[in-house]
Amino acid sequence: MKRKVYEYMECWKMVSFGMTVLAGFSGGADSTALLELLWEYGREHGIRVRALHVNHGIRGDEAERDEVFCEEFCRAREIPLTIIRKDVPGLAKQRGIGMEEAGRLVRYAAFEQEIQKGGADRAALAHHRDDQAETMLFHLMRGTGLRGLRGMEPVRLPYIRPFLCVERQEIEAWLREQGIGWVEDSTNQELAYTRNRIRHQIVAGMEAIRPGSVRRMAETAKQLLEIEGYLEEELEKRWEGSVRRREDGLEILLEPFIRMHPAIQKLLVRKCMVQLMGGGRDLEAVHIEQVCALAEGRRGSRLTLPGGYFAVLGYEELLLKKGYGQEKKEEEVYCVPGEEYHYMGAYFCLQVEKCDKIGKIPVNCYTKWFDYDKIKNSLVLRTRRPGDYLELSGGIRKKLKDFFIDCKVPREERSRRILLADGSHILWVTGLRISENYKVTEQTRTILKVQMKENGGTEDGEAPY
């Protein structure tokens, strides 16, 4: 077994000369064997080895026994040992999560803290083939894609798993041959924990029906890892031209997205969601499938995702964002010509001029000219409200909602579009068009010039249309 593990470490380039490796050490058979092998390997290859023991505060005297065992084991080999005590039951209750999950969070947080302090270059975990099989089955039952089904990776820096090439019985047999003892965690037999039930009721049954099942599942995980690596390379080639970051989320452009192979589509959606959510633990295969299906749905449709996230289908994009319809409504701004106003991040300057001072009216997105004498009510900067309309050519009135639909303005953006209004009659939908009723004609005597400066950078004539 020793040679197999060392060859596996070298195949995956887990460590190199001069590094410090921090090994998780519970005192159980797996972590004891891992620490012993790393310690021996380190003496031969110039690797410094440290150990980290986390007392979860769960098993009382038994936990104290484990801690003493770890101290004596490390003292005999002069391996530096760091002991951390955490109230895992308290954390589980505080966060409303299970004990297994709380323990996992505590252990990884301890590793991260030690690495950030400069105490190690790598963190070694004692997961083996049986753990790999349990992980694959757990993900499969929960609902997963390729990433979950391929299980744990041998190397995911800073973490390394040198034992993914061996099984639990090999580890225990090797320890007995070496005359090395270990301690047993009594909770490993309790079926209240999900992993224990998978281990004792499913994996054990599989091995009884078809011996070698764990080994074959490990080989499958390896093949799936290779396939995933290839797909990740393909994904990177398409990412830049398919995804845009915006203030409230990520946009997936529909045109390139619908041309992608379904496998790449799913990877792209998952990567977007992981970036947006800061992780993907609550994300299941069904969520990815639903987002991909939404891309072929009706414009304006939305999908609820874990953690208060939403997918919203626009006309040219699929928006992934936190929250939906929660934009803060800003107060309306009543405007008087000759003043400058700030509204929703933009500046508006209003000026009244005699028509004979103006030459040909230019076409410009950010500066508009209106017939001032046709304005009946107060000028207001605001967002949409029921009853809003524009006047099109021929005196045709069009509801603002229908106008947005015709212009393919995504539903979630409509409430953020700045409007210049005269009552319910919209003079200007910024960035799109003005009402025909207020256009300057040969009969116009007084002109209202409205200039919009967004973030202080838009000038007259910058964006014609």
Side-chain angles (χ1 to χ4, degrees), residues 242-427:
S242 306
V243 179
R244 292 189 305 212
R245 183 170 292 279
R246 44 185 277 178
E247 186 177 350
D248 58 345
L250 291 172
E251 280 183 347
I252 299 175
L253 304 182
L254 289 176
E255 185 178 354
F257 183 75
I258 60 177
R259 295 199 308 267
M260 294 178 188
H261 188 281
I264 300 297
Q265 286 182 339
K266 294 181 180 69
L267 286 174
L268 184 88
V269 169
R270 178 177 175 79
K271 182 175 180 178
C272 286
M273 289 306 302
V274 168
Q275 285 195 10
L276 197 61
M277 300 168 71
R281 290 194 62 80
D282 295 327
L283 206 58
E284 299 182 10
V286 64
H287 300 130
I288 306 300
E289 294 276 1
Q290 289 172 342
V291 173
C292 291
L294 181 65
E296 302 288 344
R298 182 171 61 86
R299 297 304 187 260
S301 300
R302 65 168 175 163
L303 173 69
T304 302
L305 296 167
Y309 291 87
F310 290 85
V312 184
L313 182 62
Y315 290 97
E316 298 178 350
E317 74 290 320
L318 182 60
L319 174 62
L320 302 172
K321 59 177 290 190
K322 175 77 169 179
Y324 184 87
Q326 301 175 1
E327 293 85 357
K328 180 182 176 182
K329 288 284 186 182
E330 295 202 28
E331 294 293 329
E332 298 177 349
V333 175
Y334 287 82
C335 304
V336 176
E339 300 291 336
E340 184 173 87
Y341 300 91
H342 183 256
Y343 185 67
M344 292 180 67
Y347 291 90
F348 291 83
C349 182
L350 286 72
Q351 295 176 310
V352 171
E353 301 176 0
K354 290 295 182 181
C355 189
D356 55 11
K357 293 183 178 181
I358 304 295
K360 182 180 177 180
I361 300 298
V363 177
N364 186 272
C365 274
Y366 294 96
T367 302
K368 297 298 178 185
W369 289 260
F370 304 91
D371 189 327
Y372 184 64
D373 298 322
K374 292 182 180 179
I375 297 172
K376 299 177 181 179
N377 302 294
S378 299
L379 287 169
V380 181
L381 286 168
R382 60 175 176 81
T383 54
R384 66 174 179 165
R385 67 187 185 194
D388 285 345
Y389 69 93
L390 293 96
E391 186 173 303
L392 307 183
S393 299
I396 300 173
R397 284 191 175 190
K398 195 173 192 71
K399 291 181 180 179
L400 182 62
K401 176 182 177 181
D402 295 335
F403 172 74
F404 280 144
I405 293 173
D406 291 345
C407 293
K408 298 183 177 181
V409 177
R411 180 180 296 179
E412 75 281 358
E413 290 186 10
R414 297 171 194 172
S415 60
R416 297 199 303 269
R417 181 70 64 166
I418 300 175
L419 309 173
L420 180 63
D422 177 16
S424 294
H425 195 157
I426 305 303
L427 281 77

Side-chain angles (χ1 to χ4, degrees), residues 211-237:
S213 294
V214 167
R215 174 179 53 79
R216 286 187 287 272
M217 288 183 69
E219 287 299 318
T220 299
K222 179 183 176 182
Q223 293 174 28
L224 292 175
L225 183 60
E226 292 172 350
I227 293 170
E228 187 194 35
Y230 168 75
L231 291 175
E232 287 287 348
E233 290 180 5
E234 292 299 308
L235 173 61
E236 288 302 316
K237 296 175 185 177

Side-chain angles (χ1 to χ4, degrees), residues 355 371 374 436 438-445:
C355 189
D371 189 327
K374 292 182 180 179
E436 288 288 328
Y438 297 96
K439 281 190 173 181
V440 175
T441 67
E442 293 180 355
Q443 288 73 43
T444 300
R445 295 292 176 263

